[in-house]
Amino acid sequence: MELLRRKPFVLDPQADPVAQARELRALGPLVAVELPGGVAAWTATDLVTAQQVLGHEDLTKDPAYWPDLAEGRIPDDWELIALVRGAAMLHQGGADHRRLRHLVSSAFSRAPIEALRPRIEEIAGELLDQAEAKGDGETVDLREQFAYPLPVRVICEVLGVPDTAVSELRHRFDRLVTPQQDGSGAGDIRVAVADIYASLGALIEAKRTAPGDDLTTALIQARDDGDRLSEQELVETLFLILIAGHETTINAITNTVQSLLENPAALARALESEDPDTWSAVADEGLRYSSPVPHALMRYAVRDTEIAGVPVAQGDPVVASLFAAGRDPVRHERPDEFDFTRPTRRDHVAFGFGAHYCLGARLARLETEIALGTLFGRFPGLAAAGEPGRLASIALQGFHTLPVRLRPTEEVPQS
């Protein structure tokens, strides 16, 4: 196999993402890499090749085409197993993917998402009230106080489930997307998955008893009345919407805030702008500049094929390095500069590409736009209050803490 003959580039979750992206692109458009656990794969490193991989007709998301998984060479406690295997639409191809996506797509179309704008603005304002109440002079963890609860509350309202559907499972969700770097505790991946599925199963049964005008009820009806999805598909679809509906948006918000704090000239331009679309443009540039998903896992070759001049054998897993593609110098002038006025700011793959383009992209972009506009509109003097704690994960790129002062010290009222 050509993949096995190549010396792999080790994807290190703890490496500086900007430096790693440059190294990957220097090796070529399609590079042999090693994922955590010694798993071999290819990855696309530039925008064109990433789009080709994400939309390739000879690549599928169905893990049944991955021999290493099908034949038991990938253990059940592999750190990334929950992200590559399952019955939800994320892991399906062809007709099954279209069937599952169709069941939820209307809830994430333009009109229903835009109708959420006033409620998202209300939630953002409430959260900033609470953060401010901690005391103007105190350091606030913006991730914990604002970026985390905002998308959690929104997606739970869309689904018609209590916030506890996420908060009580928070550490288990985090465990699935943030591997233990020392290799310890790999077995608790299975425990986390089992706990999540048990909790979601109980939530579904409660919703069957007390249905509402929400997406969870609609999915249950599709299961119980039309039999258009299995019970396992129902649980895993709910799981996918919950985790995808908050994890990536948290990082889109915190990454963009940090990018603005590190680029004060760009922040000043945004604050001075009278264009009502400014924060939408800032959100798009944030996604390009610092994709919350660094590497999109995983596609598999259904037959021998060729990508960017590189032979890819049937069964080979293929990844797309979304962070590296967003900084592609062929597509973007000065790609390492944060510039929300650039005409190519939406030329990225942070939400994927092709048939598996992120179903919640409109919601995530709207939440990020509102979060940024509300935050900096209320606290234009927001400043860093220490080094943020960077996440070390193949699946997510961002921060687990983001300490800030809502107002500069000299503006803090003295008692």
Side-chain angles (χ1 to χ4, degrees), residues 124-141:
E126 290 174 1
L127 292 172
L128 290 179
D129 286 344
Q130 294 166 15
E132 188 174 24
K134 289 177 64 68
D136 289 336
E138 288 189 29
T139 296
V140 171
D141 182 351

Side-chain angles (χ1 to χ4, degrees), residues 5 19 22 36 46 49 60 89 116 173 193 195 214 218 220 234 239 270 291 314 316 318 333 345 378 380 386 411:
R5 288 197 293 268
R22 288 187 187 130
D46 61 35
T49 309
T60 180
M89 71 189 81
L116 290 172
F173 280 126
V193 171
D195 286 349
D214 51 61
I220 291 170
L234 172 59
F239 162 71
S291 172
Q314 180 179 339
D316 279 359
V318 187
E333 283 190 43
R345 63 181 177 271
R378 184 157 168 178
E411 292 184 13

Side-chain angles (χ1 to χ4, degrees), residues 40-111:
W42 298 102
T43 193
T45 68
D46 61 35
L47 183 61
V48 169
T49 309
Q51 290 174 329
Q52 185 180 2
V53 163
L54 295 171
H56 204 294
E57 63 180 9
D58 290 338
L59 301 180
T60 180
K61 290 284 287 180
D62 186 348
Y65 286 88
W66 188 17
D68 284 349
L69 182 64
E71 296 167 14
R73 289 186 289 277
I74 302 297
D76 288 342
D77 59 2
W78 181 46
E79 288 288 354
L80 301 172
I81 194 70
L83 304 180
V84 302
R85 184 176 66 185
M89 71 189 81
L90 182 65
H91 313 294
Q92 302 295 326
D96 282 335
H97 172 255
R98 290 190 294 272
R99 170 178 57 87
L100 293 169
R101 189 178 178 101
H102 177 72
L103 290 172
V104 298
S105 59
S106 61
F108 294 96
S109 58
R110 185 179 303 278

Side-chain angles (χ1 to χ4, degrees), residues 59-309:
L59 301 180
T60 180
K61 290 284 287 180
D62 186 348
Y65 286 88
W66 188 17
D68 284 349
L69 182 64
E71 296 167 14
R73 289 186 289 277
I74 302 297
D76 288 342
D77 59 2
W78 181 46
E79 288 288 354
L80 301 172
I81 194 70
L83 304 180
V84 302
R85 184 176 66 185
M89 71 189 81
L90 182 65
H91 313 294
Q92 302 295 326
D96 282 335
H97 172 255
R98 290 190 294 272
R99 170 178 57 87
L100 293 169
R101 189 178 178 101
H102 177 72
L103 290 172
V104 298
S105 59
S106 61
F108 294 96
S109 58
R110 185 179 303 278
I113 295 305
E114 185 58 33
L116 290 172
R117 181 183 290 273
R119 179 58 180 146
I120 298 171
E121 291 172 341
E122 182 180 13
I123 294 171
E126 290 174 1
L127 292 172
L128 290 179
D129 286 344
Q130 294 166 15
E132 188 174 24
K134 289 177 64 68
D136 289 336
E138 288 189 29
T139 296
V140 171
D141 182 351
L142 198 69
R143 185 187 197 276
E144 184 68 21
Q145 298 294 320
F146 183 63
Y148 176 84
L150 175 60
V152 166
R153 287 179 60 178
V154 172
I155 197 61
C156 285
E157 290 190 10
V158 169
L159 288 166
V161 302
D163 294 356
T164 53
V166 173
S167 60
E168 290 180 356
L169 296 169
R170 179 174 181 177
H171 295 300
R172 293 167 180 82
F173 280 126
D174 289 346
R175 183 67 189 85
L176 298 185
V177 296
T178 310
Q180 303 292 321
Q181 296 309 309
D182 60 3
S184 64
D188 63 15
I189 288 287
R190 288 174 291 191
V191 174
V193 171
D195 286 349
I196 290 169
Y197 285 3
S199 294
L200 295 183
L203 187 150
I204 288 167
E205 288 309 309
K207 205 65 173 168
R208 280 191 169 109
T209 303
D213 182 17
D214 51 61
L215 183 52
T216 302
T217 298
L219 288 171
I220 291 170
Q221 290 173 345
R223 162 63 180 154
D224 295 350
D225 300 337
D227 198 28
R228 288 177 287 164
L229 74 168
S230 68
E231 190 72 15
Q232 183 181 3
E233 288 172 338
L234 172 59
V235 172
E236 292 198 15
T237 297
L238 185 58
F239 162 71
L240 174 62
I241 294 171
L242 273 174
I243 193 167
H246 76 278
E247 288 284 2
T248 53
T249 308
I250 293 166
N251 292 294
I253 295 169
T254 55
N255 289 358
T256 307
V257 170
Q258 180 64 15
S259 297
L260 288 168
L261 295 178
E262 292 176 347
N263 292 272
L267 176 55
R269 287 197 302 274
L271 292 172
E272 293 165 3
S273 175
E274 297 181 359
D275 185 342
D277 294 326
T278 292
W279 294 110
S280 176
V282 171
D284 282 325
E285 176 67 350
L287 290 163
R288 179 206 69 81
Y289 184 81
S290 191
S291 172
V293 177
H295 307 285
L297 307 174
M298 188 121 79
R299 283 152 176 78
Y300 316 93
V302 300
R303 59 185 63 86
D304 290 350
T305 188
E306 186 176 283
I307 300 172

